[in-house]
Coordinates of all heavy atoms in Angstrom, one line a residue:
M1 N 20.6 -3.0 7.6 CA 19.3 -2.8 8.2 C 18.6 -1.5 7.6 O 19.2 -0.5 7.5 CB 19.5 -2.6 9.8 CG 18.1 -2.5 10.5 SD 18.5 -2.6 12.2 CE 17.7 -1.2 12.8
E2 N 17.4 -1.7 7.2 CA 16.7 -0.6 6.5 C 16.1 0.3 7.5 O 15.5 0.1 8.6 CB 15.5 -1.2 5.7 CG 14.8 -0.1 4.9 CD 13.7 -0.7 4.0 OE1 13.4 -2.0 4.2 OE2 13.1 0.0 3.3
N3 N 16.3 1.6 7.3 CA 15.7 2.8 8.2 C 14.2 2.9 7.9 O 13.8 2.9 6.7 CB 16.5 4.0 7.8 CG 16.0 5.1 8.6 OD1 15.7 5.0 9.9 ND2 16.0 6.4 8.2
K4 N 13.4 2.9 8.9 CA 12.0 3.1 8.7 C 11.6 4.4 9.4 O 12.2 4.9 10.3 CB 11.1 1.9 9.5 CG 11.5 0.5 9.0 CD 10.6 0.4 7.7 CE 10.8 -1.1 7.2 NZ 9.9 -1.4 6.2
V5 N 10.6 5.0 8.8 CA 10.1 6.2 9.3 C 8.5 6.1 9.2 O 8.0 5.2 8.5 CB 10.5 7.6 8.5 CG1 12.1 7.7 8.6 CG2 10.1 7.4 7.1
K6 N 7.8 7.0 9.9 CA 6.4 7.2 9.9 C 6.1 8.1 8.8 O 6.6 9.1 8.7 CB 5.8 7.6 11.1 CG 5.9 6.5 12.2 CD 4.9 7.0 13.4 CE 5.1 5.9 14.4 NZ 4.2 4.7 14.3
C7 N 5.1 7.7 7.9 CA 4.6 8.6 6.8 C 4.0 9.9 7.5 O 3.3 9.8 8.4 CB 3.5 7.9 6.1 SG 2.7 9.0 4.8
P8 N 4.4 11.1 7.1 CA 4.0 12.3 7.6 C 2.5 12.6 7.3 O 1.9 13.5 8.0 CB 4.9 13.3 7.0 CG 5.4 12.8 5.8 CD 5.5 11.3 5.9
I9 N 1.8 11.8 6.4 CA 0.4 12.0 6.2 C -0.4 11.0 7.1 O -1.3 11.4 7.7 CB 0.2 11.8 4.7 CG1 1.1 12.8 3.9 CG2 -1.3 12.2 4.4 CD1 0.9 14.2 4.3
C10 N -0.2 9.7 6.9 CA -1.2 8.7 7.5 C -0.4 8.0 8.6 O -1.1 7.4 9.4 CB -1.4 7.8 6.4 SG -0.2 6.5 5.9
G11 N 0.9 8.1 8.9 CA 1.5 7.6 10.1 C 2.0 6.2 9.8 O 2.5 5.4 10.8
K12 N 1.7 5.5 8.7 CA 2.1 4.2 8.4 C 3.6 4.2 8.4 O 4.2 5.0 7.9 CB 1.5 3.7 7.0 CG 1.8 2.3 6.7 CD 1.2 2.0 5.4 CE 1.3 0.5 4.9 NZ 2.6 -0.1 4.9
E13 N 4.2 3.1 8.8 CA 5.7 2.9 8.8 C 6.1 2.6 7.4 O 5.5 1.6 6.7 CB 6.1 1.6 9.7 CG 7.6 1.6 9.9 CD 8.0 0.6 10.9 OE1 8.0 -0.6 10.6 OE2 8.3 0.9 12.1
I14 N 7.0 3.4 7.0 CA 7.5 3.2 5.5 C 9.0 3.1 5.5 O 9.7 3.4 6.6 CB 7.0 4.3 4.6 CG1 7.4 5.7 5.1 CG2 5.5 4.3 4.5 CD1 7.1 6.9 4.1
S15 N 9.6 2.9 4.4 CA 11.0 3.0 4.3 C 11.5 4.4 4.5 O 10.8 5.4 4.0 CB 11.5 2.5 2.8 OG 12.8 2.8 2.6
G16 N 12.7 4.6 5.0 CA 13.2 5.9 5.3 C 14.0 6.4 4.2 O 14.7 7.4 4.2
E17 N 14.0 5.6 3.0 CA 14.6 6.1 1.7 C 14.0 7.3 1.1 O 12.7 7.3 1.1 CB 14.8 5.0 0.7 CG 15.6 3.8 1.2 CD 15.5 2.8 0.1 OE1 15.6 3.0 -1.0 OE2 15.5 1.5 0.5
Q18 N 14.7 8.3 0.7 CA 14.0 9.5 0.0 C 13.3 9.0 -1.2 O 13.7 8.1 -2.0 CB 15.1 10.5 -0.4 CG 15.6 11.3 0.8 CD 16.4 12.4 0.3 OE1 17.3 12.2 -0.6 NE2 16.2 13.7 0.9
F19 N 12.2 9.7 -1.4 CA 11.3 9.5 -2.5 C 10.6 8.1 -2.6 O 10.1 7.7 -3.6 CB 12.1 9.7 -3.9 CG 12.8 10.9 -3.9 CD1 14.3 10.9 -4.0 CD2 12.3 12.2 -3.8 CE1 15.0 12.1 -4.0 CE2 12.9 13.4 -3.7 CZ 14.3 13.3 -3.8
F20 N 10.6 7.5 -1.4 CA 9.9 6.3 -1.3 C 8.4 6.5 -1.1 O 8.1 7.0 0.0 CB 10.4 5.4 -0.3 CG 10.0 3.9 -0.2 CD1 10.7 3.0 -0.9 CD2 8.9 3.5 0.5 CE1 10.2 1.7 -0.9 CE2 8.4 2.2 0.6 CZ 9.1 1.3 -0.2
P21 N 7.5 6.1 -2.0 CA 6.1 6.3 -1.8 C 5.4 5.5 -0.6 O 5.8 4.3 -0.5 CB 5.4 6.1 -3.1 CG 6.3 5.1 -3.7 CD 7.7 5.3 -3.1
C22 N 4.6 6.0 0.1 CA 3.8 5.3 1.1 C 2.8 4.4 0.5 O 2.0 4.7 -0.5 CB 3.0 6.2 2.0 SG 1.9 5.4 3.2
G23 N 2.8 3.1 0.8 CA 1.9 2.2 0.0 C 0.4 2.3 0.5 O -0.5 1.8 -0.2
Y24 N 0.2 3.2 1.5 CA -1.2 3.3 1.9 C -1.8 4.7 1.3 O -2.9 4.6 0.6 CB -1.4 3.4 3.4 CG -2.7 3.4 4.0 CD1 -3.7 2.5 3.6 CD2 -3.1 4.6 4.6 CE1 -5.0 2.5 4.1 CE2 -4.5 4.7 5.0 CZ -5.4 3.7 4.8 OH -6.7 3.8 5.2
C25 N -1.2 5.7 1.6 CA -1.8 7.1 1.1 C -1.1 7.7 -0.1 O -1.7 8.5 -0.7 CB -1.8 8.1 2.3 SG -0.1 8.7 2.6
G26 N 0.1 7.1 -0.5 CA 0.6 7.5 -1.7 C 1.7 8.7 -1.5 O 2.3 9.1 -2.5
W27 N 1.8 9.2 -0.3 CA 2.8 10.4 -0.2 C 4.2 9.9 -0.5 O 4.6 8.8 0.0 CB 2.7 10.9 1.3 CG 3.6 12.1 1.5 CD1 4.8 12.0 2.1 CD2 3.3 13.5 1.2 NE1 5.3 13.2 2.1 CE2 4.4 14.2 1.6 CE3 2.1 14.1 0.6 CZ2 4.4 15.6 1.4 CZ3 2.2 15.4 0.4 CH2 3.4 16.1 0.8
G28 N 5.0 10.6 -1.3 CA 6.3 10.3 -1.6 C 7.1 10.9 -0.4 O 7.4 12.2 -0.4
Y29 N 7.8 10.2 0.5 CA 8.7 10.7 1.5 C 9.8 11.2 0.9 O 10.6 10.7 0.2 CB 9.1 9.5 2.5 CG 10.0 9.8 3.6 CD1 9.5 10.6 4.7 CD2 11.2 9.5 3.6 CE1 10.3 11.0 5.7 CE2 12.1 9.9 4.5 CZ 11.6 10.6 5.6 OH 12.5 11.1 6.6
T30 N 10.2 12.5 1.4 CA 11.4 13.2 0.9 C 12.4 13.5 2.0 O 13.6 13.8 1.5 CB 10.8 14.6 0.3 OG1 10.4 15.4 1.4 CG2 9.9 14.5 -0.8
D31 N 12.0 13.4 3.1 CA 13.0 13.7 4.3 C 13.1 15.3 4.4 O 13.9 15.7 5.1 CB 14.2 13.0 4.3 CG 15.1 13.1 5.5 OD1 14.5 13.2 6.5 OD2 16.3 13.1 5.4
W32 N 12.3 16.0 3.6 CA 12.4 17.4 3.6 C 11.1 18.1 4.2 O 10.9 19.3 4.1 CB 12.5 18.1 2.2 CG 13.6 17.5 1.3 CD1 14.9 17.1 1.8 CD2 13.5 17.3 -0.1 NE1 15.5 16.7 0.6 CE2 14.8 16.8 -0.4 CE3 12.5 17.5 -1.0 CZ2 15.1 16.4 -1.7 CZ3 12.8 17.0 -2.2 CH2 14.1 16.5 -2.6
E33 N 10.2 17.3 4.6 CA 8.8 17.6 5.0 C 8.9 18.8 6.0 O 8.1 19.7 5.8 CB 8.0 16.5 5.6 CG 7.3 15.6 4.6 CD 8.3 14.5 3.9 OE1 9.6 14.4 4.5 OE2 8.0 13.9 3.0
N34 N 9.9 18.8 6.9 CA 9.9 19.9 7.9 C 10.4 21.2 7.3 O 10.3 22.2 8.0 CB 10.7 19.6 9.1 CG 10.0 18.4 9.7 OD1 8.8 18.3 9.9 ND2 10.9 17.6 10.6
L35 N 10.9 21.2 6.1 CA 11.4 22.5 5.5 C 10.2 23.3 4.9 O 10.4 24.5 4.5 CB 12.4 22.2 4.4 CG 13.6 21.4 4.9 CD1 14.6 21.1 3.7 CD2 14.5 22.2 6.0
Y36 N 9.2 22.6 4.7 CA 8.0 23.4 4.1 C 6.8 23.5 5.0 O 6.6 22.7 5.9 CB 7.5 22.6 2.9 CG 8.4 22.5 1.8 CD1 9.4 21.4 1.7 CD2 8.5 23.3 0.7 CE1 10.3 21.3 0.7 CE2 9.5 23.2 -0.3 CZ 10.4 22.2 -0.2 OH 11.3 22.2 -1.3
E37 N 6.0 24.5 4.9 CA 4.9 24.7 5.7 C 3.7 23.7 5.3 O 3.9 23.2 4.1 CB 4.2 26.2 5.5 CG 5.2 27.2 5.9 CD 5.5 27.2 7.3 OE1 4.5 27.0 8.1 OE2 6.5 27.6 7.8
E38 N 2.8 23.4 6.0 CA 1.7 22.4 5.7 C 1.1 22.7 4.4 O 0.6 21.8 3.7 CB 0.7 22.4 6.9 CG 1.2 21.7 8.1 CD 0.8 20.3 8.1 OE1 -0.1 19.7 7.6 OE2 1.8 19.5 8.5
D39 N 0.9 24.1 4.0 CA 0.0 24.4 2.9 C 1.0 24.8 1.7 O 0.6 25.5 0.7 CB -1.0 25.5 3.2 CG -0.3 26.7 3.7 OD1 1.0 26.8 4.0 OD2 -1.0 27.7 3.8
E40 N 2.3 24.4 1.7 CA 3.3 24.7 0.8 C 3.7 23.5 -0.1 O 3.8 22.4 0.5 CB 4.5 25.3 1.5 CG 5.5 26.0 0.6 CD 6.6 26.5 1.4 OE1 6.7 26.4 2.6 OE2 7.4 27.3 0.9
F41 N 3.7 23.6 -1.4 CA 4.1 22.5 -2.2 C 5.7 22.3 -2.1 O 6.4 23.1 -1.9 CB 3.8 22.8 -3.7 CG 2.5 22.7 -4.0 CD1 1.7 23.8 -4.1 CD2 1.8 21.6 -4.6 CE1 0.3 23.7 -4.3 CE2 0.6 21.5 -4.9 CZ -0.1 22.5 -4.7
D42 N 6.1 21.0 -2.1 CA 7.5 20.6 -2.1 C 7.9 20.4 -3.5 O 7.1 20.6 -4.4 CB 7.8 19.5 -1.1 CG 7.2 18.2 -1.4 OD1 6.9 17.9 -2.6 OD2 6.9 17.3 -0.7
D43 N 9.1 20.0 -3.7 CA 9.6 19.8 -5.0 C 9.3 18.3 -5.6 O 9.8 17.9 -6.7 CB 11.1 20.0 -5.1 CG 11.4 21.5 -4.8 OD1 10.7 22.3 -5.2 OD2 12.6 21.7 -4.2
Y44 N 8.6 17.5 -4.8 CA 8.4 16.1 -5.2 C 6.9 15.7 -5.4 O 6.4 15.3 -6.4 CB 9.1 15.1 -4.3 CG 9.0 13.6 -4.7 CD1 9.6 13.3 -5.8 CD2 8.2 12.8 -4.0 CE1 9.5 11.9 -6.2 CE2 8.2 11.4 -4.4 CZ 8.8 11.1 -5.4 OH 8.7 9.8 -5.8
N45 N 6.1 16.1 -4.3 CA 4.8 15.6 -4.2 C 3.9 16.6 -5.0 O 4.3 17.8 -5.1 CB 4.3 15.5 -2.8 CG 4.8 14.2 -2.1 OD1 4.6 13.2 -2.5 ND2 5.8 14.4 -1.3
L46 N 2.7 16.1 -5.6 CA 2.0 17.0 -6.4 C 0.9 17.6 -5.5 O -0.2 18.2 -6.2 CB 1.3 16.2 -7.6 CG 2.4 15.5 -8.5 CD1 1.7 14.7 -9.5 CD2 3.2 16.7 -9.1
T47 N 0.9 17.6 -4.4 CA -0.1 18.3 -3.4 C 0.6 18.7 -2.2 O 1.8 18.4 -2.0 CB -1.2 17.3 -3.1 OG1 -2.3 18.0 -2.4 CG2 -0.8 16.1 -2.3
T48 N -0.1 19.5 -1.3 CA 0.6 19.9 -0.1 C 0.2 18.9 1.1 O -0.7 18.0 0.9 CB -0.1 21.2 0.3 OG1 -1.5 21.1 0.6 CG2 0.1 22.3 -0.7
R49 N 0.9 19.0 2.1 CA 0.7 18.0 3.2 C -0.7 18.3 3.8 O -1.4 17.4 4.1 CB 1.7 18.2 4.3 CG 3.1 17.5 4.0 CD 4.0 17.6 5.1 NE 4.3 19.0 5.3 CZ 4.8 19.5 6.5 NH1 4.9 18.8 7.6 NH2 5.1 20.8 6.5
K50 N -1.0 19.6 3.8 CA -2.4 19.9 4.2 C -3.5 19.3 3.5 O -4.5 18.7 4.0 CB -2.6 21.5 4.4 CG -3.9 21.9 4.9 CD -4.0 23.5 4.8 CE -5.3 23.8 5.3 NZ -5.4 25.5 5.2
K51 N -3.4 19.4 2.1 CA -4.4 18.8 1.3 C -4.4 17.3 1.4 O -5.5 16.7 1.4 CB -4.2 19.2 -0.2 CG -5.2 18.7 -1.2 CD -6.6 19.1 -0.9 CE -7.5 18.6 -1.9 NZ -8.9 18.9 -1.5
A52 N -3.3 16.7 1.5 CA -3.1 15.3 1.6 C -3.7 14.8 2.9 O -4.4 13.8 2.9 CB -1.6 14.8 1.5
K53 N -3.6 15.5 4.0 CA -4.3 15.2 5.3 C -5.8 15.4 5.2 O -6.5 14.5 5.7 CB -3.6 16.0 6.4 CG -2.2 15.5 6.7 CD -1.6 16.4 7.8 CE -0.1 15.9 8.2 NZ 0.4 16.7 9.1
E54 N -6.3 16.4 4.5 CA -7.5 16.6 4.2 C -8.3 15.4 3.5 O -9.4 15.0 3.8 CB -7.9 17.9 3.5 CG -7.7 19.1 4.4 CD -7.7 20.5 3.6 OE1 -7.9 20.4 2.3 OE2 -7.6 21.5 4.2
N55 N -7.5 15.0 2.4 CA -8.0 13.8 1.6 C -8.0 12.6 2.6 O -9.0 11.8 2.5 CB -7.1 13.6 0.5 CG -7.3 14.5 -0.7 OD1 -8.3 15.2 -0.7 ND2 -6.5 14.4 -1.7
L56 N -7.0 12.3 3.4 CA -7.0 11.2 4.2 C -8.2 11.2 5.2 O -8.8 10.2 5.3 CB -5.6 11.2 5.1 CG -5.5 10.1 6.0 CD1 -5.2 8.8 5.1 CD2 -4.3 10.2 7.0
A57 N -8.5 12.3 5.8 CA -9.8 12.4 6.7 C -11.1 12.1 5.8 O -12.0 11.6 6.5 CB -9.9 13.8 7.2
K58 N -11.1 12.2 4.5 CA -12.2 11.8 3.8 C -12.1 10.4 3.1 O -12.9 10.0 2.5 CB -12.2 12.8 2.5 CG -12.5 14.3 2.9 CD -12.5 15.1 1.6 CE -12.7 16.6 2.0 NZ -12.5 17.4 0.7
G59 N -11.0 9.7 3.6 CA -10.8 8.3 3.1 C -10.2 8.2 1.7 O -10.4 7.2 1.0
L60 N -9.5 9.3 1.3 CA -8.9 9.3 0.1 C -7.4 9.4 0.2 O -6.8 9.9 1.1 CB -9.4 10.5 -0.8 CG -10.9 10.8 -0.8 CD1 -11.3 12.0 -1.4 CD2 -11.5 9.5 -1.6
N61 N -6.7 9.0 -0.9 CA -5.2 9.0 -1.0 C -4.9 10.4 -1.4 O -5.7 11.3 -1.6 CB -4.6 7.9 -1.8 CG -5.0 8.0 -3.3 OD1 -5.5 9.1 -3.8 ND2 -4.7 7.1 -4.0
I62 N -3.6 10.7 -1.6 CA -3.1 12.1 -1.9 C -3.7 12.5 -3.4 O -3.7 13.7 -3.6 CB -1.6 12.4 -1.9 CG1 -0.9 11.5 -2.9 CG2 -1.2 11.9 -0.5 CD1 0.6 11.8 -3.1
W63 N -4.1 11.6 -4.1 CA -4.6 11.9 -5.6 C -6.1 12.1 -5.5 O -6.7 12.3 -6.6 CB -4.2 10.9 -6.6 CG -2.7 10.8 -6.6 CD1 -1.8 11.6 -7.1 CD2 -1.9 9.7 -6.0 NE1 -0.5 11.2 -7.0 CE2 -0.5 10.0 -6.3 CE3 -2.3 8.5 -5.4 CZ2 0.4 9.2 -6.0 CZ3 -1.2 7.7 -5.0 CH2 0.1 8.1 -5.3
G64 N -6.7 11.8 -4.3 CA -8.2 11.8 -4.3 C -8.9 10.6 -4.6 O -10.1 10.6 -4.9
E65 N -8.3 9.4 -4.6 CA -8.9 8.2 -4.8 C -9.1 7.5 -3.6 O -8.4 7.7 -2.7 CB -7.8 7.3 -5.7 CG -7.5 8.0 -7.1 CD -6.3 7.4 -7.7 OE1 -5.5 6.7 -7.1 OE2 -6.2 7.6 -8.9
P66 N -10.0 6.5 -3.6 CA -10.3 5.8 -2.3 C -9.1 5.1 -1.8 O -8.4 4.5 -2.6 CB -11.4 4.8 -2.7 CG -12.0 5.4 -3.9 CD -11.0 6.2 -4.6
L67 N -8.9 5.2 -0.4 CA -7.8 4.5 0.2 C -7.9 2.9 0.0 O -9.1 2.4 0.1 CB -7.6 4.9 1.7 CG -7.2 6.3 1.9 CD1 -7.4 6.7 3.4 CD2 -5.7 6.4 1.6
P68 N -6.9 2.2 0.1 CA -6.9 0.8 0.1 C -7.4 0.3 1.5 O -7.2 1.1 2.5 CB -5.6 0.3 -0.2 CG -4.7 1.4 0.1 CD -5.5 2.6 -0.1
K69 N -7.9 -0.9 1.7 CA -8.2 -1.4 3.0 C -6.9 -1.6 3.9 O -6.0 -2.1 3.2 CB -9.0 -2.7 3.0 CG -10.3 -2.6 2.2 CD -11.4 -1.9 3.0 CE -12.7 -1.9 2.2 NZ -13.4 -0.8 2.5
R70 N -6.9 -1.3 5.1 CA -5.8 -1.5 6.0 C -5.7 -3.0 6.4 O -6.6 -3.6 6.5 CB -5.7 -0.7 7.2 CG -5.2 0.7 6.8 CD -4.9 1.4 8.0 NE -4.4 2.7 7.8 CZ -3.5 3.4 8.4 NH1 -2.9 2.8 9.4 NH2 -3.1 4.6 8.0

């Protein structure tokens, strides 16, 4: 049985495997999110959780591209 978690950026249910990217917002789940502050870079994603959430609020993925339709 596959472990599922909620994406820490958009809340979509994703695989709980480390480094599995969210198919909606693009965040790469690391399972280390709680070890870093919102505005701190982790060792995997190319942006901070704070910036990724700001992009999400603007309708953009973590790279600043338009989000796919849900």
Side-chain angles (χ1 to χ4, degrees):
M1 186 168 125
E2 185 178 5
N3 182 32
K4 297 280 188 175
V5 297
K6 289 195 182 273
C7 174
I9 305 304
C10 69
K12 183 179 186 304
E13 189 175 80
I14 59 173
S15 170
E17 294 179 39
Q18 279 188 318
F19 313 117
F20 192 88
C22 175
Y24 184 66
C25 73
W27 184 261
Y29 177 71
T30 63
D31 195 28
W32 311 320
E33 280 80 9
N34 292 332
L35 299 177
Y36 295 91
E37 298 294 327
E38 286 272 321
D39 59 351
E40 192 175 10
F41 284 90
D42 63 27
D43 294 330
Y44 183 69
N45 290 287
L46 299 176
T47 190
T48 64
R49 284 183 294 152
K50 181 179 179 181
K51 180 64 177 171
K53 289 177 181 180
E54 289 171 358
N55 280 354
L56 183 70
K58 296 175 186 173
L60 305 172
N61 67 16
I62 68 167
W63 303 287
E65 300 165 342
L67 289 166
K69 300 281 185 216
R70 280 196 182 213

